[in-house]
Amino acid sequence: NVMNAPKYYRHWTESEHGEGTVYFELLDSWITRQIEVFEQKFIWCDENGCSDERAMLSDQPVDIATLKDAIEIDKSEFEGLWERRPKI
């Protein structure tokens, strides 16, 4: 039984923090890690919690086909951002 490898995506977003980019790790239709990058804010989440109390990982599976503006990225691009995230 071979485990599926996660895939990585980014897409544009807009929130109270302004315009930004969401980066996420998707494993079997579930977001397992997520980073939101805005001009003045960097928000991240994983299964243990989030850097912003208002943020959360999706509690629903994600159909990547419905995210029309999602662009697949390399694992290294995601991991580079993940390593630079501010620690709680």
Coordinates of all heavy atoms in Angstrom, one line a residue:
N1 N 0.8 -1.2 0.0 CA 0.0 0.0 0.0 C 0.9 1.3 0.0 O 1.5 1.6 1.0 CB -0.9 0.0 1.2 CG -1.9 1.1 1.2 OD1 -2.0 1.9 0.2 ND2 -2.7 1.3 2.3
V2 N 1.0 1.9 -1.1 CA 1.8 3.1 -1.3 C 1.0 4.3 -0.9 O -0.1 4.5 -1.4 CB 2.3 3.2 -2.7 CG1 3.2 4.5 -2.9 CG2 3.1 2.0 -3.1
M3 N 1.6 5.1 0.0 CA 0.9 6.4 0.4 C 1.0 7.4 -0.8 O 2.0 7.4 -1.4 CB 1.5 7.0 1.6 CG 1.1 6.2 2.9 SD 1.3 7.1 4.4 CE 0.6 8.7 4.0
N4 N -0.1 8.1 -1.0 CA 0.0 9.2 -2.0 C 0.9 10.3 -1.5 O 0.9 10.6 -0.3 CB -1.4 9.7 -2.2 CG -2.3 8.7 -3.0 OD1 -1.8 7.9 -3.7 ND2 -3.6 8.8 -2.7
A5 N 1.6 10.9 -2.4 CA 2.4 12.0 -2.1 C 1.6 13.3 -2.1 O 0.7 13.4 -2.9 CB 3.6 12.2 -3.1
P6 N 1.8 14.2 -1.2 CA 1.0 15.4 -1.2 C 1.4 16.3 -2.5 O 2.4 16.1 -3.1 CB 1.5 16.2 0.0 CG 2.8 15.6 0.4 CD 2.8 14.2 -0.1
K7 N 0.4 17.1 -2.9 CA 0.7 18.0 -4.0 C 0.6 19.4 -3.4 O 0.0 19.6 -2.3 CB -0.4 17.8 -5.1 CG -0.2 16.5 -5.8 CD -1.0 16.4 -7.0 CE -0.7 15.2 -7.8 NZ -1.1 15.2 -9.2
Y8 N 1.1 20.4 -4.1 CA 1.2 21.8 -3.6 C 0.6 22.7 -4.6 O 0.9 22.6 -5.8 CB 2.7 22.1 -3.3 CG 3.3 21.1 -2.3 CD1 3.9 19.9 -2.7 CD2 3.2 21.4 -0.9 CE1 4.3 19.0 -1.8 CE2 3.7 20.5 0.0 CZ 4.3 19.3 -0.4 OH 4.7 18.4 0.5
Y9 N -0.1 23.7 -4.1 CA -0.8 24.7 -5.0 C -0.7 26.1 -4.4 O -0.4 26.2 -3.2 CB -2.2 24.3 -5.1 CG -2.5 23.0 -5.8 CD1 -2.6 21.8 -5.0 CD2 -2.6 22.9 -7.1 CE1 -2.8 20.6 -5.6 CE2 -2.8 21.6 -7.7 CZ -2.9 20.5 -7.0 OH -3.1 19.3 -7.5
R10 N -0.9 27.1 -5.2 CA -1.1 28.4 -4.8 C -2.3 29.0 -5.5 O -2.6 28.6 -6.6 CB 0.2 29.2 -4.9 CG 0.5 29.6 -6.4 CD 1.6 30.6 -6.5 NE 1.7 31.1 -7.8 CZ 2.6 30.8 -8.7 NH1 3.5 29.9 -8.4 NH2 2.6 31.2 -9.9
H11 N -2.9 30.0 -4.9 CA -3.9 30.8 -5.6 C -4.1 32.1 -4.9 O -3.8 32.3 -3.7 CB -5.3 30.0 -5.7 CG -6.0 29.8 -4.4 ND1 -6.8 30.8 -3.9 CD2 -6.0 28.8 -3.6 CE1 -7.4 30.3 -2.7 NE2 -6.9 29.1 -2.5
W12 N -4.6 33.1 -5.7 CA -4.9 34.4 -5.2 C -6.0 34.4 -4.2 O -6.9 33.6 -4.3 CB -5.2 35.3 -6.4 CG -5.6 36.7 -6.1 CD1 -4.7 37.7 -6.0 CD2 -6.8 37.3 -5.8 NE1 -5.3 38.9 -5.7 CE2 -6.7 38.6 -5.6 CE3 -8.1 36.7 -5.8 CZ2 -7.7 39.5 -5.3 CZ3 -9.2 37.6 -5.5 CH2 -9.0 38.9 -5.3
T13 N -5.9 35.4 -3.3 CA -7.0 35.5 -2.3 C -7.2 36.9 -1.9 O -6.3 37.8 -2.1 CB -6.7 34.6 -1.0 OG1 -7.9 34.6 -0.2 CG2 -5.6 35.2 -0.2
E14 N -8.3 37.2 -1.3 CA -8.5 38.6 -0.8 C -9.2 38.4 0.6 O -10.1 37.6 0.7 CB -9.4 39.4 -1.7 CG -9.5 40.8 -1.4 CD -10.2 41.7 -2.5 OE1 -10.9 41.1 -3.3 OE2 -10.1 42.9 -2.4
S15 N -8.8 39.2 1.6 CA -9.4 39.1 2.9 C -9.2 40.5 3.6 O -8.8 41.5 2.9 CB -8.7 38.1 3.8 OG -7.4 38.6 4.2
E16 N -9.5 40.6 4.9 CA -9.4 41.8 5.6 C -7.9 42.3 5.6 O -7.6 43.4 5.9 CB -9.9 41.7 7.0 CG -9.1 40.8 7.9 CD -9.6 39.4 8.0 OE1 -10.3 39.0 7.1 OE2 -9.2 38.7 8.9
H17 N -7.0 41.4 5.2 CA -5.6 41.8 5.2 C -5.2 42.3 3.8 O -4.0 42.6 3.7 CB -4.7 40.5 5.5 CG -5.1 39.9 6.9 ND1 -5.0 40.5 8.1 CD2 -5.5 38.7 7.1 CE1 -5.4 39.7 9.0 NE2 -5.7 38.6 8.5
G18 N -6.1 42.3 2.9 CA -5.8 42.8 1.6 C -5.7 41.6 0.6 O -6.2 40.6 0.8
E19 N -5.0 41.9 -0.5 CA -4.8 40.9 -1.5 C -3.6 40.1 -1.2 O -2.6 40.6 -0.7 CB -4.7 41.5 -2.9 CG -5.9 42.2 -3.4 CD -5.8 42.7 -4.8 OE1 -4.7 42.5 -5.4 OE2 -6.7 43.3 -5.3
G20 N -3.6 38.8 -1.5 CA -2.5 37.9 -1.1 C -2.5 36.6 -1.9 O -3.3 36.4 -2.8
T21 N -1.7 35.7 -1.4 CA -1.6 34.4 -2.1 C -1.7 33.3 -1.0 O -1.1 33.5 0.1 CB -0.2 34.3 -2.8 OG1 -0.1 35.3 -3.7 CG2 -0.2 32.9 -3.5
V22 N -2.5 32.3 -1.2 CA -2.6 31.2 -0.4 C -1.8 30.0 -1.0 O -1.9 29.7 -2.2 CB -4.1 30.7 -0.2 CG1 -4.1 29.4 0.6 CG2 -4.9 31.8 0.4
Y23 N -0.9 29.4 -0.2 CA -0.2 28.2 -0.6 C -0.7 27.1 0.3 O -0.9 27.2 1.5 CB 1.3 28.4 -0.3 CG 1.9 29.6 -1.1 CD1 1.8 30.9 -0.6 CD2 2.6 29.4 -2.3 CE1 2.4 32.0 -1.3 CE2 3.1 30.5 -3.0 CZ 3.0 31.8 -2.5 OH 3.6 32.8 -3.1
F24 N -0.9 25.9 -0.3 CA -1.4 24.8 0.5 C -0.8 23.5 0.0 O -0.5 23.3 -1.1 CB -2.9 24.8 0.6 CG -3.7 24.7 -0.6 CD1 -4.1 23.5 -1.1 CD2 -4.0 25.8 -1.4 CE1 -4.8 23.4 -2.3 CE2 -4.7 25.7 -2.5 CZ -5.1 24.5 -3.0
E25 N -0.8 22.6 1.0 CA -0.3 21.2 0.8 C -1.6 20.4 0.8 O -2.4 20.5 1.7 CB 0.6 20.8 1.9 CG 1.0 19.3 1.9 CD 1.9 19.0 3.1 OE1 1.4 19.0 4.2 OE2 3.1 18.8 2.9
L26 N -1.8 19.6 -0.3 CA -3.1 18.8 -0.4 C -2.7 17.3 -0.4 O -1.9 16.9 -1.3 CB -3.8 19.2 -1.7 CG -5.2 18.8 -1.9 CD1 -6.1 19.5 -0.9 CD2 -5.7 19.1 -3.3
L27 N -3.3 16.6 0.5 CA -3.1 15.1 0.5 C -4.4 14.4 0.5 O -5.2 14.6 1.5 CB -2.3 14.8 1.8 CG -1.9 13.3 2.0 CD1 -1.1 12.8 0.8 CD2 -1.2 13.1 3.3
D28 N -4.7 13.6 -0.5 CA -5.9 12.9 -0.6 C -7.1 13.8 -0.4 O -8.1 13.5 0.4 CB -6.0 11.8 0.4 CG -4.9 10.7 0.1 OD1 -4.6 10.5 -1.1 OD2 -4.4 10.1 1.1
S29 N -7.1 15.0 -1.1 CA -8.2 16.0 -1.1 C -8.3 16.8 0.2 O -9.3 17.5 0.4 CB -9.6 15.3 -1.4 OG -9.6 14.8 -2.7
W30 N -7.4 16.6 1.2 CA -7.4 17.4 2.4 C -6.2 18.3 2.5 O -5.1 17.9 2.2 CB -7.4 16.4 3.6 CG -8.6 15.6 3.7 CD1 -8.9 14.4 3.2 CD2 -9.9 16.0 4.3 NE1 -10.1 14.0 3.5 CE2 -10.8 14.9 4.2 CE3 -10.3 17.1 5.0 CZ2 -12.1 15.0 4.6 CZ3 -11.6 17.2 5.5 CH2 -12.5 16.1 5.3
I31 N -6.5 19.6 2.9 CA -5.4 20.5 3.1 C -4.7 20.2 4.4 O -5.4 20.2 5.5 CB -5.9 22.0 3.1 CG1 -6.5 22.3 1.7 CG2 -4.8 22.9 3.5 CD1 -7.1 23.7 1.6
T32 N -3.5 19.9 4.4 CA -2.7 19.5 5.6 C -1.9 20.6 6.2 O -1.6 20.6 7.4 CB -1.9 18.2 5.3 OG1 -1.1 18.5 4.2 CG2 -2.7 17.0 5.1
R33 N -1.4 21.5 5.3 CA -0.7 22.7 5.7 C -1.1 23.8 4.8 O -1.3 23.6 3.6 CB 0.8 22.5 5.7 CG 1.3 21.5 6.7 CD 2.8 21.4 6.7 NE 3.4 20.9 5.5 CZ 4.7 20.9 5.2 NH1 5.6 21.5 6.0 NH2 5.1 20.4 4.0
Q34 N -1.1 25.0 5.3 CA -1.5 26.2 4.5 C -0.8 27.4 5.0 O -0.5 27.6 6.2 CB -3.0 26.4 4.7 CG -3.6 27.6 4.0 CD -5.1 27.6 4.2 OE1 -5.8 26.7 3.7 NE2 -5.6 28.6 4.8
I35 N -0.4 28.2 4.0 CA 0.3 29.5 4.3 C -0.5 30.6 3.5 O -0.7 30.4 2.3 CB 1.7 29.5 3.8 CG1 2.5 28.3 4.4 CG2 2.4 30.8 4.1 CD1 3.8 28.0 3.7
E36 N -0.8 31.7 4.2 CA -1.4 32.9 3.5 C -0.4 34.0 3.6 O 0.0 34.3 4.7 CB -2.7 33.2 4.2 CG -3.8 32.1 4.1 CD -5.0 32.5 4.9 OE1 -5.6 33.6 4.7 OE2 -5.4 31.7 5.8
V37 N -0.1 34.6 2.5 CA 0.9 35.6 2.5 C 0.3 36.9 1.9 O -0.2 36.9 0.8 CB 2.1 35.3 1.6 CG1 3.2 36.4 1.5 CG2 2.8 33.9 2.0
F38 N 0.3 37.9 2.8 CA -0.2 39.3 2.4 C 0.9 40.3 2.6 O 2.0 39.9 3.1 CB -1.4 39.6 3.4 CG -2.5 38.7 3.3 CD1 -2.7 37.7 4.2 CD2 -3.5 38.8 2.3 CE1 -3.7 36.8 4.1 CE2 -4.5 37.9 2.2 CZ -4.7 36.9 3.1
E39 N 0.7 41.5 2.2 CA 1.8 42.5 2.2 C 2.3 42.7 3.7 O 3.5 42.7 3.9 CB 1.2 43.8 1.7 CG 2.3 44.8 1.5 CD 1.8 46.1 0.8 OE1 1.0 46.0 -0.2 OE2 2.2 47.2 1.2
Q40 N 1.4 42.7 4.6 CA 1.7 43.0 6.0 C 1.5 41.8 7.0 O 1.6 41.9 8.2 CB 0.9 44.2 6.6 CG 1.1 45.4 5.8 CD 2.5 46.0 5.9 OE1 3.2 45.9 6.9 NE2 3.0 46.7 4.8
K41 N 1.1 40.6 6.4 CA 0.7 39.5 7.3 C 1.2 38.2 6.7 O 1.1 38.0 5.5 CB -0.8 39.6 7.4 CG -1.4 38.7 8.5 CD -1.7 39.5 9.7 CE -2.4 38.6 10.7 NZ -2.0 38.7 12.1
F42 N 1.5 37.3 7.5 CA 1.9 35.9 7.1 C 1.2 35.0 8.1 O 1.5 35.0 9.3 CB 3.4 35.8 7.3 CG 4.0 34.6 6.7 CD1 4.8 34.7 5.5 CD2 3.9 33.3 7.3 CE1 5.4 33.6 5.0 CE2 4.5 32.2 6.7 CZ 5.3 32.3 5.5
I43 N 0.2 34.2 7.6 CA -0.6 33.3 8.4 C -0.4 31.9 8.0 O -0.4 31.6 6.8 CB -2.1 33.7 8.3 CG1 -2.4 35.1 8.6 CG2 -3.0 32.7 9.1 CD1 -3.7 35.6 8.2
W44 N -0.2 31.0 8.9 CA 0.0 29.6 8.6 C -0.8 28.7 9.5 O -1.1 29.1 10.6 CB 1.5 29.2 8.6 CG 2.2 29.4 9.9 CD1 2.8 30.5 10.4 CD2 2.2 28.5 11.0 NE1 3.3 30.3 11.6 CE2 2.9 29.1 12.0 CE3 1.8 27.2 11.1 CZ2 3.2 28.4 13.2 CZ3 2.0 26.5 12.3 CH2 2.7 27.1 13.4
C45 N -1.1 27.6 9.0 CA -1.9 26.5 9.7 C -1.3 25.2 9.4 O -0.9 24.9 8.3 CB -3.4 26.6 9.3 SG -4.3 28.0 9.7
D46 N -1.4 24.3 10.4 CA -1.2 22.9 10.2 C -2.2 22.1 11.1 O -3.0 22.7 11.7 CB 0.3 22.4 10.3 CG 0.8 22.6 11.7 OD1 0.0 22.8 12.7 OD2 2.0 22.6 11.9
E47 N -2.0 20.8 11.2 CA -3.0 20.0 11.9 C -2.9 20.3 13.4 O -3.8 20.0 14.2 CB -2.8 18.5 11.7 CG -1.5 18.0 12.1 CD -0.4 18.1 11.0 OE1 -0.7 18.7 9.9 OE2 0.7 17.6 11.2
N48 N -1.8 21.0 13.9 CA -1.7 21.4 15.3 C -2.2 22.7 15.6 O -2.3 23.1 16.8 CB -0.2 21.3 15.7 CG 0.3 19.9 15.5 OD1 -0.3 18.9 15.9 ND2 1.5 19.8 14.9
G49 N -2.6 23.5 14.7 CA -3.1 24.9 14.9 C -2.7 25.9 13.9 O -2.1 25.6 12.9
C50 N -3.0 27.2 14.2 CA -2.7 28.3 13.3 C -2.0 29.4 14.0 O -2.2 29.6 15.2 CB -4.0 28.8 12.7 SG -4.9 27.5 11.7
S51 N -1.3 30.2 13.2 CA -0.6 31.4 13.8 C -1.6 32.5 14.1 O -1.3 33.5 14.7 CB 0.5 31.8 12.8 OG -0.1 32.2 11.6
D52 N -2.8 32.4 13.5 CA -3.8 33.5 13.7 C -5.1 32.8 14.2 O -5.6 31.8 13.5 CB -4.1 34.2 12.4 CG -5.1 35.4 12.6 OD1 -6.2 35.2 13.2 OD2 -4.7 36.5 12.1
E53 N -5.7 33.2 15.3 CA -6.8 32.5 15.9 C -8.0 32.5 15.0 O -8.9 31.7 15.1 CB -7.2 33.1 17.3 CG -7.6 34.5 17.2 CD -7.7 35.2 18.6 OE1 -7.0 34.7 19.5 OE2 -8.3 36.2 18.7
R54 N -8.1 33.4 14.0 CA -9.2 33.4 13.1 C -9.1 32.5 11.9 O -10.0 32.3 11.2 CB -9.5 34.9 12.6 CG -9.9 35.8 13.7 CD -9.9 37.2 13.3 NE -8.5 37.6 13.0 CZ -8.0 38.8 12.5 NH1 -8.9 39.7 12.4 NH2 -6.8 39.0 12.3
A55 N -7.9 32.0 11.8 CA -7.6 31.1 10.6 C -7.8 29.7 11.0 O -7.8 29.3 12.2 CB -6.1 31.3 10.2
M56 N -8.1 28.8 10.0 CA -8.2 27.4 10.2 C -8.0 26.7 8.9 O -8.3 27.2 7.9 CB -9.6 27.1 10.9 CG -10.8 27.4 10.0 SD -12.4 27.0 10.8 CE -12.5 25.3 10.3
L57 N -7.6 25.4 9.0 CA -7.6 24.6 7.9 C -9.1 24.2 7.5 O -9.9 24.2 8.3 CB -6.9 23.3 8.1 CG -5.3 23.4 8.3 CD1 -4.8 22.0 8.7 CD2 -4.7 23.9 7.1
S58 N -9.3 24.0 6.2 CA -10.6 23.6 5.8 C -11.0 22.3 6.5 O -10.2 21.3 6.6 CB -10.6 23.3 4.3 OG -11.9 22.9 3.9
D59 N -12.3 22.2 6.9 CA -12.8 21.0 7.5 C -13.5 20.1 6.5 O -14.2 19.2 6.9 CB -13.7 21.3 8.8 CG -14.9 22.1 8.4 OD1 -15.0 22.5 7.2 OD2 -15.7 22.4 9.3
Q60 N -13.4 20.5 5.2 CA -14.1 19.8 4.2 C -13.0 19.4 3.1 O -12.0 20.1 3.0 CB -15.1 20.7 3.4 CG -16.2 21.2 4.3 CD -17.1 20.0 4.8 OE1 -17.5 19.2 4.0 NE2 -17.5 20.0 6.0
P61 N -13.2 18.2 2.5 CA -12.2 17.9 1.4 C -12.3 18.9 0.3 O -13.3 19.5 0.1 CB -12.7 16.5 1.0 CG -14.1 16.3 1.4 CD -14.2 17.3 2.6
V62 N -11.2 19.1 -0.4 CA -11.1 20.0 -1.5 C -11.0 19.3 -2.8 O -10.2 18.4 -3.0 CB -9.8 20.9 -1.3 CG1 -9.5 21.8 -2.5 CG2 -9.8 21.7 0.0
D63 N -11.9 19.7 -3.7 CA -11.8 19.3 -5.1 C -11.0 20.3 -5.9 O -11.5 21.4 -6.2 CB -13.2 19.1 -5.7 CG -13.2 18.6 -7.1 OD1 -12.1 18.4 -7.7 OD2 -14.3 18.5 -7.7
I64 N -9.8 19.9 -6.2 CA -8.9 20.9 -6.8 C -9.4 21.4 -8.2 O -9.2 22.5 -8.6 CB -7.5 20.3 -7.0 CG1 -6.4 21.4 -7.2 CG2 -7.4 19.3 -8.1 CD1 -6.3 22.4 -6.1
A65 N -10.3 20.6 -8.8 CA -10.8 21.0 -10.1 C -11.8 22.2 -9.9 O -12.0 23.0 -10.9 CB -11.6 19.8 -10.7
T66 N -12.3 22.4 -8.7 CA -13.2 23.6 -8.5 C -12.5 24.8 -8.2 O -13.1 25.9 -8.2 CB -14.2 23.3 -7.4 OG1 -13.5 23.1 -6.2 CG2 -15.0 22.0 -7.7
L67 N -11.2 24.7 -7.9 CA -10.4 25.9 -7.7 C -9.7 26.3 -9.0 O -8.6 26.0 -9.3 CB -9.3 25.7 -6.6 CG -9.8 25.4 -5.2 CD1 -8.7 25.1 -4.3 CD2 -10.5 26.7 -4.7
K68 N -10.4 27.0 -9.8 CA -10.0 27.3 -11.2 C -8.7 28.1 -11.3 O -8.0 28.0 -12.2 CB -11.1 28.0 -11.9 CG -12.4 27.2 -12.0 CD -13.4 27.8 -12.9 CE -14.7 27.0 -13.0 NZ -14.8 25.7 -12.4
D69 N -8.4 28.9 -10.2 CA -7.2 29.7 -10.3 C -6.0 29.1 -9.5 O -5.0 29.8 -9.4 CB -7.5 31.2 -9.8 CG -8.0 31.2 -8.4 OD1 -8.4 30.1 -7.8 OD2 -8.1 32.3 -7.8
A70 N -6.2 27.9 -9.1 CA -5.1 27.2 -8.3 C -4.1 26.7 -9.3 O -4.4 26.2 -10.4 CB -5.6 26.0 -7.5
I71 N -2.8 27.0 -9.0 CA -1.7 26.7 -9.8 C -0.8 25.7 -9.0 O -0.4 26.0 -7.9 CB -0.8 27.9 -10.2 CG1 -1.7 28.9 -11.0 CG2 0.4 27.5 -10.9 CD1 -1.1 30.3 -11.1
E72 N -0.5 24.5 -9.6 CA 0.4 23.6 -8.9 C 1.8 24.1 -8.9 O 2.3 24.7 -9.8 CB 0.4 22.2 -9.6 CG 1.1 21.2 -8.8 CD 0.8 19.7 -9.3 OE1 0.0 19.6 -10.3 OE2 1.3 18.8 -8.7
I73 N 2.4 24.0 -7.7 CA 3.8 24.5 -7.5 C 4.7 23.3 -7.0 O 4.2 22.3 -6.6 CB 3.8 25.6 -6.5 CG1 3.3 25.2 -5.1 CG2 3.1 26.8 -7.0 CD1 3.5 26.2 -4.0
D74 N 6.0 23.5 -7.0 CA 6.9 22.5 -6.6 C 6.9 22.4 -5.0 O 6.6 23.4 -4.3 CB 8.3 22.9 -6.9 CG 8.6 22.8 -8.4 OD1 7.9 22.0 -9.1 OD2 9.6 23.4 -8.9
K75 N 7.2 21.3 -4.5 CA 7.3 21.1 -3.1 C 8.3 22.1 -2.5 O 8.1 22.6 -1.4 CB 7.7 19.6 -2.8 CG 7.8 19.4 -1.3 CD 8.2 17.9 -1.0 CE 8.4 17.7 0.5 NZ 8.7 16.3 0.8
S76 N 9.4 22.3 -3.2 CA 10.5 23.1 -2.7 C 10.0 24.6 -2.5 O 10.4 25.3 -1.6 CB 11.7 23.1 -3.6 OG 11.3 23.5 -4.9
E77 N 9.1 25.1 -3.4 CA 8.6 26.4 -3.2 C 7.7 26.5 -1.9 O 7.9 27.4 -1.2 CB 7.7 26.8 -4.4 CG 7.2 28.2 -4.4 CD 6.3 28.6 -5.6 OE1 6.3 27.9 -6.6 OE2 5.7 29.7 -5.5
F78 N 6.9 25.5 -1.7 CA 6.1 25.5 -0.5 C 7.0 25.4 0.8 O 6.8 26.1 1.7 CB 5.1 24.3 -0.5 CG 4.2 24.3 0.7 CD1 3.0 25.0 0.7 CD2 4.6 23.6 1.8 CE1 2.2 25.0 1.8 CE2 3.8 23.6 2.9 CZ 2.6 24.3 3.0
E79 N 7.9 24.4 0.7 CA 8.7 24.2 1.9 C 9.6 25.4 2.2 O 9.9 25.6 3.4 CB 9.6 22.9 1.7 CG 8.8 21.6 1.6 CD 8.1 21.2 2.9 OE1 8.3 21.9 4.0 OE2 7.3 20.2 2.9
G80 N 10.0 26.1 1.2 CA 10.8 27.3 1.4 C 10.1 28.3 2.2 O 10.6 28.9 3.2
L81 N 8.8 28.5 1.9 CA 7.9 29.4 2.6 C 7.7 28.9 4.0 O 7.7 29.6 5.0 CB 6.6 29.6 1.9 CG 6.6 30.6 0.7 CD1 5.4 30.4 -0.1 CD2 6.8 32.0 1.2
W82 N 7.4 27.6 4.1 CA 7.1 27.0 5.4 C 8.2 27.1 6.4 O 8.0 27.4 7.6 CB 6.7 25.5 5.2 CG 6.2 24.8 6.4 CD1 6.9 24.0 7.3 CD2 4.9 25.0 7.0 NE1 6.0 23.6 8.3 CE2 4.8 24.2 8.1 CE3 3.8 25.7 6.6 CZ2 3.7 24.1 8.9 CZ3 2.6 25.6 7.4 CH2 2.6 24.8 8.5
E83 N 9.5 27.0 5.9 CA 10.6 27.1 6.8 C 10.8 28.6 7.3 O 11.4 28.8 8.3 CB 11.9 26.7 6.0 CG 12.0 25.2 5.9 CD 11.9 24.4 7.2 OE1 12.6 24.8 8.1 OE2 11.1 23.5 7.3
R84 N 10.3 29.5 6.5 CA 10.5 30.9 6.9 C 9.3 31.5 7.7 O 9.3 32.7 8.1 CB 10.7 31.8 5.6 CG 12.0 31.5 4.9 CD 12.3 32.7 3.9 NE 11.3 33.1 3.0 CZ 11.1 32.5 1.8 NH1 11.8 31.5 1.4 NH2 10.1 33.0 1.0
R85 N 8.4 30.6 7.9 CA 7.2 31.2 8.7 C 7.6 31.6 10.1 O 8.4 31.0 10.7 CB 6.1 30.1 8.7 CG 6.3 29.0 9.7 CD 5.4 27.8 9.5 NE 5.5 26.8 10.5 CZ 6.5 25.9 10.6 NH1 7.5 25.9 9.7 NH2 6.5 25.0 11.6
P86 N 6.9 32.6 10.6 CA 7.2 33.0 12.0 C 6.6 31.9 12.9 O 5.5 31.5 12.8 CB 6.4 34.3 12.2 CG 5.8 34.7 10.8 CD 6.0 33.5 9.9
K87 N 7.4 31.5 13.9 CA 7.0 30.4 14.8 C 6.1 31.0 15.9 O 6.3 32.2 16.2 CB 8.2 29.7 15.4 CG 9.3 29.2 14.4 CD 8.7 28.1 13.6 CE 9.8 27.4 12.8 NZ 10.2 28.2 11.6
I88 N 5.2 30.2 16.4 CA 4.3 30.7 17.4 C 5.1 30.7 18.7 O 5.8 29.7 19.0 CB 3.1 29.8 17.6 CG1 2.2 29.9 16.3 CG2 2.2 30.1 18.8 CD1 1.0 29.0 16.3

